[in-house]
Amino acid sequence: MFSNQINAQTEEDLFGMIANEKNNDESLLPERMVFTQRILWGNQGLFRKTRIAPLSLEVREKELKVRRTMLKAHQVIGYTTLIAMIAQGFIGGKLYNGDNSLYDTHKTMGKIVNVGYFAGAGLSLFAPPPLINKKVRGLNSIKAHKILATIHFSAMLSTNYFSNRDRGAHKASAYTLFGSYAAAVLVFKF
């Protein structure tokens, strides 16, 4: 709660500095954005061109509140998906040990994991950009999270691809997915 107050105060200070500057609206956007943010929220992005979210100080303040909400939902869905992956792992283990009665449960649980996974990914990828996005030297929790996201995204696609094609590759992909996903979730805790 205390960190939220500090973050809110910092945002107010940054907006105050921007409001006092005589720069154009582009100073409201970070120089670096994820490609999905640039497509939707960039100076020439879809929301700017369609005037759904014209680039202004007031709109950016609202966007940052939307961003905070989307990223909090990303976290909640991330934890929920991790729990579903653990359950899916137990069910999958029983299948590999010959308990074929759980096949339909495994398929259903796989769909639940997929929905949670891709909903969480969408919330992160399509959230409005931050006010500032500085390049930081060295490894930090955000960089580690993004590196692990690349690994677990590839493993998620691979796990789905091999689900009905190659049991060994499916299992290896699922372990890679779970390990990298769990590490991506936990990297913010340590």
Side-chain angles (χ1 to χ4, degrees):
M1 186 169 152
F2 181 68
S3 66
N4 286 341
Q5 289 173 335
I6 291 172
N7 288 339
Q9 182 65 38
T10 304
E11 284 178 7
E12 288 175 21
D13 293 344
L14 289 170
F15 277 119
M17 288 170 35
I18 290 171
N20 291 333
E21 289 181 8
K22 301 286 189 235
N23 293 343
N24 58 18
D25 285 340
E26 286 188 33
S27 66
L28 296 171
L29 294 172
E31 290 179 24
R32 298 174 57 242
M33 286 186 263
V34 177
F35 73 96
T36 51
Q37 292 172 334
R38 189 167 305 283
I39 290 168
L40 295 176
W41 304 99
N43 194 37
Q44 297 298 314
L46 181 66
F47 292 136
R48 309 293 182 221
K49 286 184 176 184
T50 59
R51 310 282 298 153
I52 291 171
L55 190 55
S56 70
L57 184 61
E58 296 79 24
V59 171
R60 280 297 282 147
E61 287 176 351
K62 290 177 185 175
E63 287 174 13
L64 289 175
K65 289 178 184 173
V66 168
R67 175 182 171 76
R68 184 178 296 126
T69 301
M70 289 177 77
L71 293 180
K72 289 215 183 275
H74 168 76
Q75 287 179 316
V76 170
I77 289 171
Y79 290 126
T80 305
T81 302
L82 181 61
I83 292 167
M85 283 182 182
I86 292 168
Q88 178 71 327
F90 282 117
I91 295 167
K94 290 185 181 234
L95 275 174
Y96 278 102
N97 290 331
D99 187 353
N100 292 327
S101 67
L102 295 172
Y103 181 77
D104 289 337
T105 305
H106 185 70
K107 284 290 220 191
T108 301
M109 199 64 178
K111 290 174 185 174
I112 292 168
V113 167
N114 271 287
V115 167
Y117 181 87
F118 287 109
L123 286 167
S124 173
L125 290 171
F126 299 116
L131 191 56
I132 298 173
N133 194 358
K134 291 183 181 177
K135 190 166 186 156
V136 179
R137 293 183 146 209
L139 185 65
N140 60 33
S141 61
I142 292 173
K143 278 186 185 178
H145 186 77
K146 288 178 180 181
I147 291 166
L148 290 164
T150 303
I151 296 167
H152 66 67
F153 182 78
S154 301
M156 175 58 101
L157 296 178
S158 176
T159 300
N160 285 325
Y161 177 79
F162 289 117
S163 65
N164 293 320
R165 290 177 176 84
D166 183 335
R167 287 180 67 173
H170 175 72
K171 185 177 181 180
S173 297
Y175 280 130
T176 304
L177 167 62
F178 175 74
S180 57
Y181 190 83
V185 169
L186 295 175
V187 76
F188 283 116
K189 294 295 175 192
F190 301 103

